[in-house]
Amino acid sequence: MKATAKAHTNIALIKYWGKRDESLILPMNNSLSLTLDGFYTTTTVDFQDSLTADQFYLNDRLVEGAEHHRVSAFLDRIRKAAGRPDAFAYVHSTNHVPTAAGFASSASGFAALAAAASRAIGLPDNAQALSILTRQGSGSACRSVYGGFVEWEKGAEADGSDSYAIQIAPADHWDLRVAAVVLSSDEKKVLSREGMKRTVETSTFYSAWVESIPDDLEAIKAGIAEKDFEKVGEIAEANCLRMHATTLAANPPFSYWQSTTLAIMETVRKLRSEGVPAFFTIDAGPNVKVLYTPEHEETIRNTLQDVPGVHDIKVSRPGQGVSYV
Ligand code: PMV
């Protein structure tokens, strides 16, 4: 009863922002992402009869408290699904992602955990069921089950049975680059869970956000099919700005941006004005991801590196979905 799985993070081009059900993690809107090959988590789950509780190690460190509880509560769902309520496990995760700084380590983390645990406990291998299960650990993680361009269908059912990810195009459909510009490894101040809740409950811009999604989705899917970089980049950047605008209209208002975040945004706009097609997107943290095509690799890297406050740049290509090691 042991299995090891690997999963990559993903970057949303159309953001998931707001839940309609907090416990099942059902989103208010569809979202669309690109799985990234540069950041991943490898997790081994080993169910042992001798255990009376789960033991969770992250990067070889025993984890206790809230983080342990989140993993264990997620394994409860898997035990229940497998009809093995008393099966406890050793969980060893290695994260190749800078955690909690706007890099979605929870996405690769929960996708790898769900895949390894499902296989170890003997649940049938089924990507759709895995995506539904993964969603209940962390919403954006349900998209990391698949490689390439992935849409998370919000679904309509109250039980979440139709809220899962589907692949729009595989990783080898389009050779794009995403530079993750690391500004700070500080823990983020407003976690995505809390930020979404406050926004849904109080932001006067929230309904406009939800209403804007269907048009963005239709246009970006056409852009991906046609490999129209300008179109995809423009929609992704505008969608990101609209998501962040909802936080400014929340009560109390908040923002994930720091001064260097704004400096990078300005740099990307300047690159465009000089004829270098590049677009930015930002999740629930200060770091920026810059989207571009391979021929501009050197210009983009050199320009971003020179922005004061930039600590590191990690470049990804489109990545694969969950795999078993
Ligand atoms: O799934 P969570 O709780 O990590 O939320 C992710 C939310 C964003 O990263 C801001 C957007 C997204 O779709 O990934």
Side-chain angles (χ1 to χ4, degrees):
M1 292 183 71
K2 180 175 173 181
T4 300
K6 177 180 176 184
H8 294 95
T9 61
N10 65 77
I11 177 70
L13 303 177
I14 304 296
K15 306 293 183 191
Y16 146 53
W17 195 241
K19 297 178 181 66
R20 65 178 198 273
D21 184 314
E22 299 257 336
S23 137
L24 286 171
I25 310 193
L26 297 176
M28 288 286 205
N29 64 278
N30 285 25
S31 53
L32 190 146
S33 61
L34 177 61
T35 303
L36 302 179
D37 76 345
F39 304 115
Y40 59 95
T41 302
T42 306
T43 297
T44 300
V45 177
D46 186 3
F47 287 97
Q48 293 270 351
D49 288 337
S50 57
L51 287 175
T52 53
D54 299 312
Q55 295 246 33
F56 173 40
Y57 294 84
L58 179 59
N59 300 334
D60 292 325
R61 180 181 58 88
L62 182 67
V63 177
E64 280 161 342
E67 247 182 306
H68 172 270
H69 178 77
R70 195 167 169 205
V71 166
S72 210
F74 183 66
L75 289 176
D76 286 345
R77 294 183 190 273
I78 293 174
R79 287 186 267 270
K80 197 173 156 212
R84 300 284 306 267
D86 298 324
F88 296 101
Y90 286 104
V91 177
H92 282 271
S93 277
T94 309
N95 237 345
H96 302 266
V97 186
T99 27
F103 289 98
S105 65
S106 65
S108 57
F110 275 98
L113 175 65
S118 302
R119 180 166 281 201
I121 210 163
L123 287 174
D125 276 337
N126 174 318
Q128 185 174 306
L130 183 61
S131 182
I132 290 175
L133 186 64
T134 305
R135 187 200 77 225
Q136 296 168 71
S138 167
S140 58
C142 80
R143 298 184 307 234
S144 277
V145 168
Y146 297 98
F149 294 88
V150 181
E151 182 175 2
W152 173 11
E153 307 272 358
K154 66 185 163 89
E157 300 292 339
D159 67 357
S161 56
D162 59 351
S163 185
Y164 49 78
I166 52 169
Q167 190 181 59
I168 300 295
D172 63 6
H173 168 69
W174 197 1
D175 190 21
L176 291 183
R177 295 289 183 276
V178 177
V181 188
V182 187
L183 311 187
S184 126
S185 52
D186 288 349
E187 296 279 311
K188 41 183 170 171
K189 291 185 195 79
V190 183
L191 293 170
S192 58
R193 185 171 293 238
E194 190 192 325
M196 279 185 208
K197 192 166 158 38
R198 194 191 301 172
T199 306
V200 171
E201 287 171 359
T202 69
S203 177
T204 49
F205 292 178
Y206 192 70
S207 57
W209 158 257
V210 173
E211 280 161 27
S212 75
I213 299 294
D215 286 351
D216 275 1
L217 267 174
E218 197 188 315
I220 206 165
K221 284 199 269 190
I224 292 165
E226 297 153 6
K227 300 188 203 172
D228 182 337
F229 182 70
E230 301 269 338
K231 185 168 179 173
V232 167
E234 270 169 27
I235 296 163
E237 192 173 293
N239 181 272
C240 154
L241 290 171
R242 227 179 296 115
M243 174 201 128
H244 286 270
T246 66
T247 72
L248 297 175
N251 184 17
F254 64 104
S255 173
Y256 290 106
W257 300 349
Q258 295 173 2
S259 56
T260 314
T261 313
L262 291 159
I264 305 278
M265 291 157 71
E266 220 29 73
T267 303
V268 170
R269 290 182 181 118
K270 186 156 178 287
L271 276 165
R272 276 209 299 271
S273 73
E274 292 161 357
V276 181
F279 297 87
F280 62 79
T281 187
I282 305 157
D283 281 337
N287 299 300
V288 185
K289 281 92 180 170
V290 180
L291 213 70
Y292 57 96
T293 47
E295 64 269 31
H296 299 292
E297 175 79 36
E298 219 184 304
T299 316
I300 300 274
R301 253 187 199 277
N302 293 341
T303 310
L304 292 175
Q305 240 147 21
D306 286 346
V307 179
V310 169
H311 291 307
D312 201 3
I313 295 166
K314 293 189 187 305
V315 176
S316 283
R317 299 169 184 227
Q320 302 295 332
V322 157
S323 60
Y324 298 92
V325 184

